[in-house]
C-alpha cells in the first residue's frame, strides 16, 4: 500500500475515533502548530529572527484555514467514508460473489470433473463407435465381397445353365413356369420373363401339354423323380425327341416348392440308332439277296448232281459227281454260317424245333465225310454206343450245320491217320435221351491254353498252316448247340489230335419214312420260278415224283396262267424280276376266296425270313433252296398226306419298295418359259434364290417329322415344299413332295423315308438345272431383243 493511502486510512481512522469536533480542534491545533513552525522557520531563515507578529500571523492563518481544512477534510473523509462503505459493500458483495464464485467454481470443478468423466466415457464410446464402424465397414466389405462372389457364382451358374444345350426349367405346384434357360426359350419361342406365370397349356400344343401335365402330376403325387421321353416341337415346326427328367424341389423348411425339369435332345442319338437299325436291315437284305443269288447256281449244281447220281455212271464219273455234290454242300454250309453270323449279330437268331430223321442226318454226315476223306486218302471210323434213335425233336438244319462244321474241320486238319464219328445215346426218361456226338481227328492238336479261345469269333489257332478258314464256324456252332439246349466241349493233345463232343438232351419222336408217304394222286403244280436252271431241276424232280408241272417265269405270267380249278399246288419263288412271291400271294388272295385257292408254298434261298412271315402272307410251307427230294417229299406229305395244314394267320401286306426314278421331266420348262416371258427371268431368279435359302429349313423340319412319325407334320411340310417347288418349275421335286404329302398312298409309311431321302438328294441338282434353264431362257430373250432391233419397221397400212 502507498504512504498516501496509509495516511488517508489513518486520517479516516482518526476521524472515526475522535469525532468531528475533537478532530476539528485537534486538526486546527495541528495546523496552527505547523503554520507556526513553518512561519518561524521561514522568517528565521529570512530575517534571522522571529517576532510576535509572526506568531500571531501564524495563529491567525491557522485559525482562518482550519475551518476550511476541516470542512475539506470532512468532505474528503465523508467521501472517503462513503467510498469506504461503498467499498465495503462492494467488498461484501465481492465476498459473496467470491463465495458464489467458489461455489460455482466447485460446481464448475465438479461439472468439469463430471464433464471430464463424460468426455472420457464419450471418448471411450467414440473409440468403441469408431471400432464398431471399422468392424461394420469390414462386415459390410465382407458382405459386399460375399454378395459379389454370390453374384459371380449366380452369374456363372446362370451362364452355365444358359450355355447348356439341355432344357432347364422349374415350375411351381400350380404348374406355372417360374424360370428357364435359353434352351427352353428357343424351344417355346418366348423369353423367360414372358414365360413366367404361364402353364404348359399356354406354351405347348394341347397333345404335348397333356403329356407334360400328366407327368407333372405323377411327380407331385409320388413325390419322386420321373424320367420319360417325348417329342417336342420348335416354333418353326421342327420336332425333336427329348429325354425329360423331373424332380421335386423343396425350401429350407422342407416344404415342396415345385419341380425342376431337365430335357436332353436325343434326336441325333435316336436317328443314329435308327440308321444303325436301317443299316442292319440293309445288311440283312444284302445277305438275303446274296444268299439268293449264290444259292441259285448252287441249287443247280446240287440238283443236277443228284439227278446225275440217279443215272448210270462209271466209277470215275460217280466219283467226280460226288465231289461236285460234296463241294456244293460245303459251300451251302458256308452260306449258312454267314447267315447265322448275321442273325447272331442282330440277336434275331432262333432255332426251330421239329421232328427230324436223326438216322438220315447221321448217314448224310457219314457219307459226306467219307467222300472228303477218300480224296485225301484217309480212313473214316464210325462207332455207336447204344441204339441210335430214328427220330428226335430238334432243328435238323442247325444240327446238320454243326456236325458238318466239326467233321469238315477234322478232315481239313488231318493229314494222316483217320477221322472218327462216335454217337452215344443214353436214355434219361421214357421219351428223352442224352446224345453225345464226338468227332475225333489225328491232326496237330490244339494247345491247352487255346481250348476255349477257339470258340471265339474269328479266332484261329496260332501256328496252324491249315487254318485258312474264316474263324466263325466253331463260334457259330457252339451258339447253335447252346440255342438247342446243349453244348460243345473239346479235348486235345498236341501232336496227337482233338476230339469235339456235341452233347444234347433230346426228345424222341416217331415219323414214318418220307419215301413211303407218297400215297396221294399226281398233283397239278404251278411252278413260279425265273431261273432256268432252277426250273429244270425242280421240274425234273417233281415229274419224277409223278406230278404235272406248269411253269411261269415271272409274276405276270403266273397271274395270267393261274386258274384255281387247274392247279392243286403253287410253288412260289420269292424273288422274281417283276414282283415278289409275297405280291403274287396277296393278289391271288384278293382275287379269289380262301377256299378256292390251292395251297401256296414258298421257294426261297433266303433263310433270314422265318416261317411265320411266310405264313402271314398265306403260304402254308417253305422249301429252301437248293431243292432236294427229301425236302419236296416232306413238304408234300405235310400239305397233303399227314393231315390238314395249319390255318395261316392273318395276312400282312409286304411293304413295297420305294418308287424308282420316273421318266417324267425334271423341270416344267413351259412354266419357266412363261414365267420368264411374262414377268422376267430376274424375278424367277430371285424366287429360286429364296427357295434355295428356305429349302434346308423345310428339309430339317420334314426329316424331324419323319423321325417323330408325325404323319400330319410330314404331309403339312411336304405340302409347303410342293407349292414352293411347283411355283418355280421344279416338276420332279413337286411330284416327290406330292407323294410325301399323300399318306393315303399304298405302303406310304414304307416308302416315305426313301422319298424324303430322294428329295434331299435331288433338289440341289434340280436347282442347278433350273439355274441353267433360266440362264438359257434369259440368253434367248436377249438375242431375240437384239434381233428385233435390226428388223425393218412395218409399213403403215393406212
Amino acid at each position: 500500500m502507498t504512504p498516501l493511502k496509509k495516511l488517508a486510512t489513518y486520517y479516516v481512522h482518526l476521524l472515526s475515533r475522535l469525532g468531528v469536533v475533537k478532530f476539528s480542534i485537534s486538526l486546527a491545533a495541528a495546523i496552527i502548530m505547523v503554520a507556526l513552525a513553518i512561519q518561524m522557520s521561514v522568517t528565521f531563515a529570512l530575517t534571522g529572527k522571529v517576532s510576535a507578529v509572526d506568531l500571531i500571523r501564524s495563529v491567525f492563518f491557522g485559525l482562518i484555514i482550519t475551518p476550511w481544512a476541516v470542512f475539506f477534510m470532512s468532505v474528503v473523509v465523508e467521501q472517503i467514508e462513503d467510498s469506504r462503505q461503498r467499498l465495503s459493500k462492494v467488498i461484501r458483495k465481492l465476498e459473496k460473489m467470491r463465495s458464489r464464485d467458489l461455489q460455482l467454481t466447485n460446481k464448475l470443478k465438479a461439472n468439469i470433473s463430471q464433464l471430464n468423466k463424460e468426455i472420457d466415457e464419450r471418448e471411450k464410446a467414440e473409440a468403441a463407435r469408431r471400432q464398431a464402424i471399422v468392424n461394420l465397414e469390414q462386415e459390410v466389405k465382407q458382405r459386399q465381397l460375399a454378395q459379389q462372389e454370390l453374384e459371380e457364382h449366380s452369374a456363372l451358374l446362370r451362364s452355365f445353365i444358359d450355355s447348356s444345350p439341355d432344357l432347364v426349367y422349374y415350375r411351381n405346384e400350380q404348374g406355372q413356369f417360374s424360370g428357364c434357360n435359353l434352351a427352353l426359350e428357343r424351344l417355346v419361342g418366348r423369353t423367360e420373363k414372358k414365360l413366367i406365370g404361364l402353364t404348359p397349356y399356354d406354351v405347348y400344343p394341347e397333345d404335348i401339354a397333356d403329356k407334360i401335365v400328366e407327368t407333372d402330376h405323377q411327380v407331385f403325387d409320388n413325390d419322386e423323380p420321373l424320367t420319360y421321353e417325348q417329342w417336342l416341337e420348335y416354333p418353326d415346326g421342327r420336332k425333336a425327341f427329348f429325354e425329360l427328367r423331373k424332380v421335386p424341389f423343396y425350401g429350407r423348411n422342407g416344404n415342396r416348392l415345385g419341380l425342376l425339369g431337365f430335357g436332353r435332345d436325343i434326336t441325333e442319338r435316336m436317328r443314329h440308332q435308327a440308321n444303325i437299325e436301317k443299316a442292319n436291315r440293309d445288311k440283312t437284305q444284302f445277305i438275303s439277296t446274296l444268299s439268293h443269288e449264290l444259292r441259285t447256281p448252287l441249287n443247280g449244281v446240287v440238283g443236277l448232281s443228284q439227278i446225275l447220281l440217279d443215272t448210270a455212271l462209271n466209277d470215275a464219273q460217280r466219283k467226280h459227281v460226288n465231289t461236285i455234290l460234296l463241294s456244293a454242300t460245303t459251300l451251302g454250309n458256308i452260306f449258312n454260317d454267314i447267315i447265322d453270323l448275321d442273325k447272331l449279330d442282330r440277336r434275331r437268331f432262333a432255332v426251330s424245333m421239329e421232328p427230324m430223321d436223326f438216322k438220315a442226318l447221321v448217314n448224310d454226315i457219314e457219307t459226306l465225310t467219307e467222300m472228303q476223306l477218300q480224296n485225301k486218302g484217309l480212313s473214316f471210323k464210325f462207332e455207336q454206343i447204344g441204339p441210335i434213335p430214328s427220330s428226335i425233336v430238334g432243328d435238323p438244319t442247325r444240327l446238320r450245320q454243326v456236325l458238318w462244321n466239326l467233321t469238315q474241320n477234322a478232315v481239313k486238319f488231318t493229314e494222316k491217320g483217320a477221322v472218327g464219328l462216335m454217337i452215344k445215346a443214353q436214355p434219361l426218361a421214357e421219351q428223352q435221351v442224352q446224345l453225345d456226338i464226338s468227332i475225333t481227328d489225328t491232326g496237330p492238336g490244339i494247345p491247352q491254353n487255346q481250348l476255349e479261345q477257339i470258340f471265339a469269333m474269328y479266332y484261329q489257332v496260332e501256328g496252324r498252316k491249315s487254318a485258312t478258314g474264316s474263324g466263325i464256324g466253331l463260334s457259330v456252332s457252339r451258339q447253335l448247340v447252346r440255342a438247342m439246349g446243349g453244348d460243345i466241349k473239346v479235348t486235345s493233345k498236341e501232336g496227337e489230335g482233338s476230339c469235339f463232343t456235341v452233347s444234347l438232351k433230346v426228345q424222341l419222336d416217331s415219323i414214318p419214312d418220307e419215301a413211303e408217304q407218297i400215297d396221294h394222286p399226281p398233283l397239278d403244280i404251278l411252278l413260279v420260278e425265273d431261273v432256268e436252271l432252277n426250273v429244270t431241276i425242280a421240274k425234273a424232280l417233281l415229274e419224277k415224283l409223278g406230278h404235272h408241272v406248269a411253269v411261269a417265269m415271272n409274276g405276270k405270267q403266273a397271274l395270267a396262267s393261274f386258274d384255281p380249278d387247274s392247279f392243286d399246288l403253287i410253288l412260289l419263288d420269292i424273288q422274281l424280276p417283276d414282283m415278289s412271291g409275297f405280291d403274287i400271294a396277296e393278289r391271288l388272295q384278293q382275287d379269289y376266296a380262301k377256299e378256292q385257292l390251292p395251297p401256296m408254298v414258298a421257294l426261297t434261298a433266303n433263310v433270314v425270313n422265318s416261317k411265320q412271315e411266310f405264313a402271314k402272307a398265306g403260304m402254308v410251307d417253305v422249301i429252301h433252296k437248293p431243292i432236294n427230294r427229301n425236302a419236296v417229299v416232306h413238304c408234300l406229305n405235310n400239305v397233303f398226306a399227314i393231315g390238314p395244314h395249319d390255318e395261316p394267320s392273318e395276312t400282312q401286306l409286304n411293304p413295297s419298295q420305294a418308287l424308282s426314278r420316273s421318266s417324267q421331266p425334271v423341270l416344267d420348262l413351259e412354266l419357266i418359259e412363261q414365267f420368264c416371258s411374262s414377268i422376267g427371268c430376274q424375278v424367277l431368279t430371285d424366287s429360286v434364290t429364296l427357295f434355295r435359302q428356305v429349302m434346308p429349313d423345310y428339309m430339317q423340319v420334314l426329316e424331324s417329322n419323319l423321325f417323330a412319325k408325325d404323319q400330319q407334320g410330314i404331309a403339312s411340310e411336304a405340302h409347303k415344299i410342293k407349292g414352293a417347288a411347283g411355283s418355280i418349275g421344279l416338276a420332279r421335286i413337286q411330284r416327290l413332295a406330292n407323294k410325301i404329302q399323300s399318306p393315303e398312298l399304298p405302303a406310304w409309311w414304307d416308302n416315305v423315308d426313301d422319298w424324303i431321302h430322294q428329295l434331299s438328294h435331288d433338289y440341289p441338282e434340280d436347282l442347278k438345272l433350273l439355274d441353267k434353264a433360266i440362264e438359257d431362257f434369259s440368253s434367248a430373250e436377249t438375242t431375240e431383243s437384239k434381233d428385233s432391233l435390226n428388223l425393218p419397221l412395218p409399213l403403215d397400212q393406212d
Side-chain angles (χ1 to χ4, degrees):
M1 182 179 295
T2 61
L4 182 60
K5 288 182 179 181
K6 291 182 178 179
L7 181 62
T9 301
Y10 177 76
Y11 177 80
V12 172
H13 178 71
L14 186 63
L15 179 62
S16 61
R17 284 182 61 188
L18 297 178
V20 176
V21 177
K22 290 180 179 181
F23 178 76
S24 298
I25 293 172
S26 297
L27 180 60
I31 291 173
I32 292 172
M33 292 301 293
V34 171
L36 287 177
I38 293 172
Q39 184 67 33
M40 288 177 64
S41 296
V42 171
T43 301
F44 180 78
L46 291 175
T47 62
K49 58 180 182 181
V50 178
S51 61
V53 176
D54 292 329
L55 291 173
I56 296 169
R57 189 188 293 125
S58 297
V59 171
F60 181 74
F61 177 76
L63 292 174
I64 293 172
I65 201 170
T66 296
W68 294 102
V70 171
F71 174 76
F72 174 76
M73 291 299 293
S74 296
V75 172
V76 170
V77 168
E78 287 178 357
Q79 290 180 350
I80 292 173
E81 182 65 18
D82 291 338
S83 297
R84 187 186 67 78
Q85 290 178 356
R86 287 196 300 272
L87 182 62
S88 297
K89 291 179 180 179
V90 170
I91 290 172
R92 285 194 298 272
K93 289 181 179 179
L94 288 175
E95 287 178 352
K96 291 180 180 179
M97 290 177 65
R98 180 173 174 272
S99 177
R100 285 197 301 270
D101 287 345
L102 289 174
Q103 293 178 354
L104 291 174
T105 300
N106 292 333
K107 289 182 179 180
L108 182 60
K109 288 181 180 179
N111 290 338
I112 291 173
S113 177
Q114 181 66 28
L115 182 60
N116 289 334
K117 290 181 180 179
E118 290 181 359
I119 289 173
D120 291 339
E121 291 177 356
R122 288 187 179 185
E123 287 178 350
K124 292 180 181 179
E126 182 67 18
R129 185 182 67 82
R130 291 195 188 99
Q131 184 63 37
I133 291 175
V134 171
N135 295 337
L136 183 60
E137 288 176 349
Q138 291 179 350
E139 184 177 354
V140 170
K141 187 175 181 180
Q142 290 176 354
R143 290 191 178 185
Q144 288 176 343
L145 292 175
Q147 182 68 23
Q148 183 179 358
E149 185 177 358
L150 179 62
E151 290 176 355
E152 290 177 354
H153 287 177
S154 298
L156 178 63
L157 179 60
R158 182 68 191 189
S159 176
F160 173 76
I161 293 175
D162 283 341
S163 63
S164 172
D166 295 340
L167 306 180
V168 180
Y169 59 91
Y170 36 101
R171 288 196 291 270
N172 57 30
E173 290 211 323
Q174 288 71 43
Q176 298 171 332
F177 281 95
S178 300
C180 68
N181 67 341
L182 288 177
L184 188 69
E185 289 183 359
R186 288 191 289 267
L187 174 67
V188 301
R190 306 189 188 193
T191 63
E192 183 182 26
K193 291 182 179 179
K194 294 181 179 179
L195 193 63
I196 292 176
L198 300 181
T199 67
Y201 285 104
D202 301 323
V203 178
Y204 301 104
E206 184 176 357
D207 56 337
I208 296 177
D210 287 340
K211 180 68 174 177
I212 292 175
V213 172
E214 178 186 351
T215 52
D216 285 356
H217 289 163
Q218 291 181 23
V219 172
F220 290 142
D221 294 342
N222 300 327
D223 204 22
E224 61 183 19
L226 175 67
T227 301
Y228 70 101
E229 296 173 351
Q230 184 176 5
W231 285 99
L232 300 177
E233 185 174 345
Y234 283 88
D236 60 0
R238 178 169 51 92
K239 290 182 174 59
F241 196 59
F242 282 87
E243 182 182 63
L244 300 171
R245 180 167 178 80
K246 299 177 179 179
V247 296
F249 74 95
Y250 306 87
R252 291 184 177 181
N253 55 2
N255 61 318
R256 189 174 62 200
L257 302 178
L259 64 82
L260 287 172
F262 308 92
R264 173 160 295 179
D265 187 348
I266 60 173
T267 309
E268 288 303 319
R269 187 207 309 174
M270 299 298 293
R271 184 176 287 114
H272 178 66
Q273 184 176 348
N275 290 336
I276 293 175
E277 293 175 356
K278 185 177 184 299
N280 285 334
R281 290 194 300 270
D282 293 342
K283 181 177 70 172
T284 301
Q285 182 64 32
F286 170 75
I287 291 176
S288 173
T289 303
L290 180 66
S291 172
H292 179 273
E293 296 299 328
L294 293 178
R295 285 178 181 273
T296 297
L298 181 64
N299 181 26
V301 174
V302 173
L304 290 177
S305 299
Q306 292 175 340
I307 292 174
L308 285 174
L309 288 175
D310 290 338
T311 62
L313 301 173
N314 58 37
D315 292 342
Q317 292 173 333
R318 186 169 297 277
K319 180 177 180 181
H320 293 330
V321 174
N322 280 331
T323 302
I324 294 173
L325 179 60
L326 175 64
S327 300
T329 305
T330 302
L331 189 57
N333 280 282
I334 292 174
F335 294 160
N336 290 337
D337 283 346
I338 295 173
I339 294 168
D340 285 336
L341 177 62
D342 174 64
K343 287 185 175 182
L344 289 168
D345 182 56
R346 291 180 290 110
R347 305 294 190 269
R348 286 184 51 188
F349 176 78
V351 295
S352 177
M353 306 299 284
E354 59 186 40
M356 57 174 286
D357 190 339
F358 182 65
K359 279 189 175 181
L361 184 147
V362 173
N363 290 334
D364 289 343
I365 297 296
E366 182 180 358
T367 301
L368 292 173
T369 305
E370 282 184 329
M371 290 169 56
Q372 283 185 305
L373 291 173
Q374 286 174 4
N375 294 334
K376 297 183 68 171
L378 303 174
S379 60
F380 177 73
K381 297 179 180 179
F382 177 76
E383 181 182 1
Q384 72 177 58
I385 300 176
I388 298 178
S390 299
S391 177
I392 62 173
V393 176
D395 189 327
T397 303
R398 307 301 184 194
L399 186 56
R400 178 180 285 104
Q401 182 180 343
V402 170
L403 297 181
W404 175 249
N405 272 330
L406 295 177
T407 55
Q408 188 182 30
N409 284 341
V411 173
K412 180 168 61 176
F413 293 112
T414 301
E415 298 297 332
K416 59 181 180 179
V419 172
L421 173 63
M422 182 182 73
I423 301 177
K424 179 181 179 181
Q426 181 179 358
L428 298 177
E430 184 177 354
Q431 290 294 320
Q432 188 180 46
V433 296
Q434 172 73 39
L435 284 180
D436 294 319
I437 307 171
S438 300
I439 294 93
T440 59
D441 63 63
T442 55
I446 304 170
Q448 291 296 316
N449 60 354
Q450 299 184 43
L451 288 180
E452 282 301 318
Q453 298 178 27
I454 60 174
F455 292 104
M457 193 67 71
Y458 308 115
Y459 185 82
Q460 295 180 344
V461 177
E462 298 176 0
R464 280 200 176 188
K465 296 181 180 180
S466 301
T468 58
S470 62
I472 64 175
L474 286 176
S475 177
V476 171
S477 296
R478 169 172 270 189
Q479 294 187 64
L480 291 174
V481 173
R482 286 180 172 176
M484 290 185 283
D487 202 357
I488 298 180
K489 299 294 181 64
V490 58
T491 57
S492 183
K493 190 173 182 180
E494 288 189 80
E496 296 184 7
S498 305
C499 176
F500 288 84
T501 302
V502 177
S503 299
L504 285 171
K505 292 180 181 179
V506 296
Q507 298 293 326
L508 298 179
D509 194 80
S510 59
I511 58 173
D513 187 18
E514 289 183 352
E516 299 177 357
Q517 291 195 24
I518 309 176
D519 54 0
H520 39 261
L523 304 173
D524 292 314
I525 301 174
L526 175 60
L527 174 64
V528 185
E529 172 64 63
D530 63 317
V531 181
E532 286 282 356
L533 184 59
N534 290 345
V535 170
T536 301
I537 295 171
K539 187 175 181 182
L541 193 153
L542 292 169
E543 289 178 344
K544 188 174 181 180
L545 293 175
H547 305 298
H548 307 292
V549 180
V551 178
M553 301 296 291
N554 54 50
K556 185 176 180 181
Q557 291 182 11
L559 294 173
S561 61
F562 176 75
D563 182 357
D565 297 327
S566 301
F567 297 103
D568 303 307
L569 179 68
I570 305 174
L571 298 179
L572 283 173
D573 184 23
I574 296 303
Q575 291 188 346
L576 295 168
D578 56 346
M579 61 180 68
S580 70
F582 293 111
D583 297 331
I584 297 174
E586 180 185 353
R587 286 282 300 276
L588 292 177
Q589 291 176 93
Q590 290 176 352
D591 295 341
Y592 301 96
K594 183 182 295 187
E595 56 272 8
Q596 289 181 286
L597 289 175
M600 293 181 288
V601 175
L603 293 177
T604 180
N606 181 4
V607 298
V608 175
N609 296 87
S610 64
K611 284 188 176 181
Q612 288 76 13
E613 293 180 69
F614 295 107
K616 289 179 181 179
M619 303 179 196
V620 297
D621 207 346
V622 183
I623 298 178
H624 290 285
K625 301 177 183 179
I627 300 174
N628 60 70
R629 180 182 180 278
N630 285 339
V632 173
V633 172
H634 179 75
C635 175
L636 296 179
N637 289 339
N638 182 48
V639 174
F640 294 102
I642 295 181
H645 57 273
D646 295 333
E647 291 294 329
S649 60
E650 183 180 355
T651 60
Q652 180 177 350
L653 297 180
N654 182 47
S656 61
Q657 302 298 319
L659 297 181
S660 61
R661 297 287 176 147
S662 173
S663 59
Q664 295 175 297
V666 173
L667 302 177
D668 188 348
L669 295 178
E670 182 179 354
L671 175 65
I672 297 171
E673 183 178 8
Q674 292 176 0
F675 210 132
C676 287
S677 60
S678 60
I679 62 176
C681 291
Q682 184 58 45
V683 177
L684 180 57
T685 301
D686 294 340
S687 299
V688 173
T689 301
L690 178 60
F691 180 84
R692 184 179 275 111
Q693 292 173 351
V694 301
M695 191 60 180
D697 295 333
Y698 283 162
M699 290 305 304
Q700 187 178 19
V701 175
L702 186 62
E703 289 172 353
S704 69
N705 287 330
L706 172 66
F707 187 61
K709 298 296 182 183
D710 183 358
Q711 186 183 81
Q712 183 178 357
I714 294 172
S716 174
E717 204 65 23
H719 182 73
K720 297 178 186 177
I721 297 174
K722 173 190 171 184
S727 65
I728 59 176
L730 293 174
R732 177 165 65 174
I733 301 303
Q734 185 182 19
R735 291 193 299 271
L736 271 174
N738 186 54
K739 293 177 185 177
I740 298 171
Q741 75 158 14
S742 306
E744 69 276 4
L745 291 177
W748 181 82
W749 270 118
D750 300 289
N751 291 306
V752 70
D753 190 2
D754 292 326
W755 290 337
I756 293 176
H757 177 75
Q758 183 181 345
L759 180 66
S760 176
H761 176 270
D762 287 350
Y763 89 83
E765 298 299 325
D766 290 4
L767 284 174
K768 292 180 182 178
L769 293 175
L770 180 57
D771 291 338
K772 183 66 170 58
I774 296 174
E775 182 181 353
D776 293 342
F777 281 121
S778 179
S779 300
E781 285 184 356
T782 303
T783 303
E784 291 177 2
S785 177
K786 290 181 179 180
D787 292 342
S788 65
L789 293 176
N790 298 326
L791 293 176
L793 292 174
L795 296 176
D796 189 356
Q797 300 298 323
D798 292 336

